[in-house]
RNA sequence: UGUCCUAUGGUGUAAUGGUAGCACAACUGACUCUGGAUCAGCCAGUCUAGGUUCGAGUCCUGGUAGGACAACCA
């Protein structure tokens, strides 16, 4: 193929720009294929498979986080793109860590992200089949019961650079192994006294091949199979076979499993069952956060956050409560790409994806977070005007609303300075600014308390500027948001900063843990914030939860508080006791100037 | 002193032997009733040493750096 014969992307676009206005804007259709897509297209075109079936296999031992969201988008996205399907399979082979609480939450999160699975499975559904196959392997001399203790097994496994030693039980007869394995299943032996191992090679350079454990004895109640089993299969024995049973064509997982792949293939080959194949991609990392279930669980259990859905958590439910939209997370997952090299994504890419979506759909409202009173001395005492305001300048269909205006208002304390620096466009003595959708006002004087804090700003307004335009064409540099004092609704507003103060919180110095990297100021709760009254129309969780199916999550309404950021109602809010979360700020070039 | 994976601007990600491109971030400007949005511009990259080739980010060899593997976790 001669590259010179092709026009560049730019030229192509400009040639067709007139016809392309309504073109599909899905980014995935425009970019180059990632390596998984290449594999799938190859398999589809050379007849390795005629359709694809992927799977998302969470262990129900915790809540899903943004890293899982990437995996979900890859697995479901690939199937969707190539006309295939995706199964949801709960990898529930370790009863001591798993619980149905997590099963329900996982279902909700996947649905919320916008995906539906073809069918739902559990590794525990396959316990009988897995047991049968273990017996097959024993009969073929490929598995044996080992009586060594945990310590002996560890000792004899050798190290990365030295080979292991064969177990003294490695050459038991088939009959004895079968008998012992059957009695393990029957519950004759205590936990830890015996395991079933694959007989491969104790000297293999791949540690996974040093007679990996297939079954352990665990007298534990399983959240689905109850007390039926007291032996449970290990991940390496269960996973590939589960894929095979479901006839998964492309089993996609993260990089740390690449060393497991030869073993995954070994079990499938020895058993001669459906040849699923495993492919690995680099897991998602984001700076200023942690992404391990163990650490997230610790944050919850030790009370460093207020639950799995704390808006500062990188969990899917945390992002949802924070006000992230599913679309923004899907777009984020698309942007981070799929490759095999380790990566740390900048948090700003997440915020960009959110702003990009919310800018298009969020209704604009006015709210004052840190209020100070402003009195318009020449405005009639009792007068109230209902001023029209645009709901969303990005979408004319969203129409207008009316906002009450009167003599006494609240404005943001930061929007007034008695001695302003250069380039400060907001209110200061003698300075004229616009009150958005209302009038031009000029500051005359201020009242202060004993400590010198401004308690009230006195202004005069120009009646000719109603609606925010001056008929004489004069202009102002600053436009402020405001709320009528008489009509304002009180609210609590929760502001969030990054949960960790350091870019790579996992990296703690000697004697410290990731907890020492927590940002002590990650939560800032404001009281006495002032909302424009129309915000009380927002739907609360309490009003809606009863009409929600069990597997569907509640989605708050998203607003932009003008000049402040994107906000949504928290699930704690009830009518009359309003609580809003800040999802993210607006880009703020003034704040940047002052850094 | 092992096996495997990986290496492209600050961060991600493309280029499939033939013009190193895109996004985010940063920066500059225009416009603006959100210091928002939008638009325009700009900075910045192939880990290293050899080899193959008319031509190497791409293929080969060595080195360097990072990661994974020694749970009866997944």
């Amino acid at each position: 193929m001669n590259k010179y014969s092709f026009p560049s992307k730019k030229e192509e676009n400009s040639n067709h720009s007139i016809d392309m206005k309504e073109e599909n804007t899905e980014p995935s259709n425009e970019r180059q294929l990632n390596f998984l897509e290449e594999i799938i297209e190859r398999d589809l075109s050379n007849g390795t498979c005629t359709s694809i079936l992927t799977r998302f296999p969470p262990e129900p031992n915790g809540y899903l986080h943004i890293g899982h969201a990437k995996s979900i988008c890859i697995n479901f996205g690939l199937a969707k793109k190539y006309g295939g399907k995706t199964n949801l399979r709960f990898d529930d082979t370790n009863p001591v860590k798993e619980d149905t609480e997590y099963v329900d939450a996982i279902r909700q999160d996947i649905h919320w992200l916008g995906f539906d699975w073809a069918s739902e499975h559990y590794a525990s559904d396959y316990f009988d089949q897995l047991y049968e196959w273990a017996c097959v392997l024993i009969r073929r001399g490929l598995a044996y019961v080992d009586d060594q203790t945990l310590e002996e097994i560890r000792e004899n496994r050798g190290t990365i650079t030295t080979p292991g030693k064969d177990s003294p039980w490695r050459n038991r007869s088939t009959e004895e192994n079968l008998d012992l394995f059957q009695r393990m299943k029957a519950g004759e032996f205590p936990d830890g006294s015996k395991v079933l191992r694959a007989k491969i090679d104790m000297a293999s350079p791949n540690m996974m091949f040093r007679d990996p454990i297939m079954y352990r004895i665990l007298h534990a109640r399983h959240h689905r199979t109850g007390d039926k089993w007291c032996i449970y299969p290990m991940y390496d024995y269960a996973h590939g076979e589960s894929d095979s049973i479901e006839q998964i064509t492309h089993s996609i997982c993260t990089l740390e499993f690449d060393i497991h792949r030869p073993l995954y293939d070994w079990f499938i080959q020895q058993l001669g069952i459906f040849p699923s194949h495993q492919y690995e991609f680099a897991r998602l990392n984001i700076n200023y956060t942690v992404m391990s279930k163990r650490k997230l669980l610790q944050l919850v259990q030790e009370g460093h956050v207020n639950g799995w859905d704390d808006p500062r958590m990188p969990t899917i439910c945390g992002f949802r409560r924070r006000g992230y939209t599913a679309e923004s997370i899907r777009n984020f997952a698309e942007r981070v790409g799929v490759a095999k090299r380790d990566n740390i994504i900048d948090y700003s890419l997440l915020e960009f994806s959110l702003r990009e979506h919310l800018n298009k759909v969020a209704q604009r409202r006015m709210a004052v977070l840190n209020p100070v009173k402003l009195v318009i001395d020449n405005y009639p005492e009792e007068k109230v005007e209902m001023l029209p305001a645009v709901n969303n300048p990005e979408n004319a269909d969203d129409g207008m609303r009316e906002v009450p205006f009167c003599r006494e208002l609240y404005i943001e304390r930061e929007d007034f300075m008695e001695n302003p620096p250069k380039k400060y466009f907001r209110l200061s003595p003698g300075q004229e600014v616009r009150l958005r959708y209302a009038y031009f006002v000029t500051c005359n004087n201020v009242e202060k308390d004993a400590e010198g804090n401004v308690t009230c700003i006195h202004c005069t307004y120009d009646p000719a500027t109603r609606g925010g335009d001056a008929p004489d064409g004069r202009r102002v540099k600053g436009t402020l948001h405001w709320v009528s004092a008489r009509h304002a609704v009180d609210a609590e507003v929760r502001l969030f900063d990054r949960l960790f103060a350091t870019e790579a919180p996992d990296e703690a110095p000697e004697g410290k843990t990731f907890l020492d990297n927590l940002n002590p100021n990650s939560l800032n709760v404001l009281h006495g914030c002032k909302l424009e009254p129309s915000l009380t129309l927002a739907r609360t969780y309490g009003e809606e939860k009863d009409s929600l199916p069990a597997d569907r999550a509640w989605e708050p309404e998203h607003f932009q508080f003008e000049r402040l950021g994107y906000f949504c109602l928290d699930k704690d809010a009830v009518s009359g006791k309003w609580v809003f979360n800040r999802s993210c700020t607006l880009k703020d070039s003034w704040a940047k100037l002052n850094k």
Side-chain angles (χ1 to χ4, degrees), chain A residues 483-485 487-491 528-536 576 578:
Chain A
V483 173
S484 161
H487 304 88
V489 175
D490 268 42
C529 304
K530 306 294 182 184
L531 309 179
E532 85 168 61
S534 71
L535 245 7
T536 61
W578 302 98

Side-chain angles (χ1 to χ4, degrees), chain A residues 182-199:
Chain A
Q182 189 277 124
R183 289 162 60 196
M184 279 168 63
K185 180 187 178 222
E188 289 188 27
F189 308 115
D191 288 3
S193 59
K194 285 178 170 45
V195 290
L196 183 73
R197 289 232 250 174
K199 191 193 279 192

Side-chain angles (χ1 to χ4, degrees), chain A residues 23 42 60 93 114 134 152 161-162 183 226 247 287 301 313 322 360 369 384 389 422 508 548 562-563 570:
Chain A
E23 200 90 331
R42 184 200 63 203
T93 56
E152 287 166 336
T161 51
T162 59
R183 289 162 60 196
Q247 307 210 344
N287 56 7
Q301 286 181 335
M313 287 282 274
R322 171 87 169 244
K360 293 276 183 280
L369 264 30
V384 176
K422 258 185 247 156
L548 238 38
E562 296 222 20
R563 300 210 301 136
D570 188 77

